[in-house]
Amino acid sequence: MSKVYIRKDKNGEFENINQYTAYKGFKELGFEIVFFNNIEEIIDNKPEDIVVGYIGDVRAILKKLGKDYPEMNYPEELHKYMGRNLWQDKLNNIVNNPDKWGVFIKQAQGTKQFTGKVINKISDLRSVIGVDPETLVWCSDVVEFVSEWRCFIRYGEVIAVKQYNGRWDKPINFEILKSAVLDYTESPNAYVIDLGVTDKGETLLVEVNDGYSVGCYGLDPIKYAKFLSARWSELTHTEDLCNF
């Protein structure tokens, strides 16, 4: 059976709940677990050997294997679920033009350098200090989300919905979730759709994230391991031993 490489810190402790949950799930599924502290320690891995760590860790191994990892934030098939305008611009154009403020921005590609946020005033620009001004960003109209929910999808089926922000008593419209999953025909084998409920009661798309390195958000360990395995095998063109 293939191995699963899981990150630990220099003291041999799990750095976060995601790594521990993945360990517990893959261990119960019978995988051989190999721990690492620095991604450069992984030198003899095969494509089918799953890597669990930070986004940079996973991308580094995929790159070493010659595998691509697409950017996913706002798939075109799901634009109709945005409920607001969406466009791209360069960070420099937003920062230097106050008439463009009153907008939500998020990095469009590459390693994450800042957390998406609303730009309304000069102080809101602190988080982008030092970021390459030519960085491409997603821009969207500002909406007020009162609750936000992460929806895990594996092989076209919703396996869990977890609240991660806002009010617990403002659930999403599950019919909209089902519709979005059906409409996303070009979806990977494992991904998450983040949906939010606005102050007007609408269920709108927040964003979509690839499944190769997302947090567990309280997902059952075995479900989480199978979720990670589904996407890893797809990206590496190997057999998903957890496809059951």
Side-chain angles (χ1 to χ4, degrees):
M1 179 173 280
S2 57
K3 301 176 182 177
V4 178
Y5 290 86
I6 300 178
R7 175 183 276 277
K8 277 190 173 183
D9 64 21
K10 61 183 180 181
N11 297 316
E13 300 290 337
F14 292 107
E15 294 181 315
N16 56 53
I17 189 63
N18 304 320
Q19 295 161 9
Y20 173 72
T21 302
Y23 162 75
K24 189 174 181 181
F26 282 115
K27 190 71 173 178
E28 289 187 37
L29 288 167
F31 282 82
E32 177 184 352
I33 308 296
V34 179
F35 296 112
F36 72 94
N37 173 241
N38 188 308
I39 197 64
E40 295 179 0
E41 298 171 18
I42 303 178
I43 56 177
D44 60 350
N45 62 302
K46 300 176 181 178
E48 60 267 27
D49 294 332
I50 301 168
V51 175
V52 180
Y54 296 119
I55 293 177
D57 296 330
V58 179
R59 288 181 172 180
I61 293 298
L62 289 173
K63 184 177 180 180
K64 188 177 87 168
L65 293 171
K67 307 301 181 181
D68 295 325
Y69 46 87
E71 301 290 346
M72 192 171 291
N73 297 315
Y74 304 104
E76 187 172 348
E77 293 175 300
L78 300 183
H79 281 189
K80 63 183 178 181
Y81 296 97
M82 290 289 298
R84 57 201 184 279
N85 293 316
L86 177 72
W87 67 97
Q88 289 189 343
D89 203 341
K90 290 184 178 179
L91 179 61
N92 185 52
N93 291 336
I94 302 296
V95 171
N96 294 317
N97 291 283
D99 59 310
K100 291 189 175 184
W101 295 358
V103 66
F104 174 84
I105 67 169
K106 178 185 176 182
Q107 189 171 333
Q109 54 191 213
T111 302
K112 185 176 180 180
Q113 301 178 73
F114 65 94
T115 301
K117 68 176 304 177
V118 175
I119 304 298
N120 280 321
K121 52 188 181 299
I122 291 178
S123 60
D124 294 329
L125 301 175
R126 291 174 183 165
S127 62
V128 300
I129 293 176
V131 178
D132 184 348
E134 294 297 303
T135 297
L136 195 63
V137 295
W138 284 107
C139 305
S140 67
D141 298 331
V142 178
V143 295
E144 183 68 28
F145 287 111
V146 297
S147 69
E148 297 178 45
W149 305 73
R150 172 149 289 187
C151 311
F152 290 81
I153 294 91
R154 174 177 175 267
Y155 292 118
E157 294 187 5
V158 178
I159 61 171
V161 176
K162 302 290 185 178
Q163 183 198 15
Y164 65 89
N165 195 28
R167 294 177 52 174
W168 63 269
D169 60 344
K170 295 293 182 180
I172 60 173
N173 182 326
F174 290 100
E175 293 305 315
I176 290 178
L177 171 59
K178 293 176 185 177
S179 179
V181 171
L182 289 174
D183 285 341
Y184 192 11
T185 60
E186 297 299 318
S187 68
N189 288 343
Y191 66 101
V192 294
I193 293 180
D194 290 346
L195 294 175
V197 180
T198 72
D199 54 352
K200 298 179 181 178
E202 303 171 296
T203 294
L204 300 179
L205 176 71
V206 176
E207 64 183 12
V208 174
N209 285 286
D210 206 328
Y212 62 79
S213 190
V214 299
C216 63
Y217 286 73
L219 195 62
D220 171 84
I222 289 181
K223 283 187 177 181
Y224 187 50
K226 292 171 73 172
F227 178 87
L228 294 175
S229 179
R231 186 57 174 143
W232 181 269
S233 63
E234 183 178 25
L235 287 169
T236 57
H237 307 290
T238 56
E239 180 185 1
D240 180 9
L241 299 179
C242 296
N243 187 10
F244 56 85

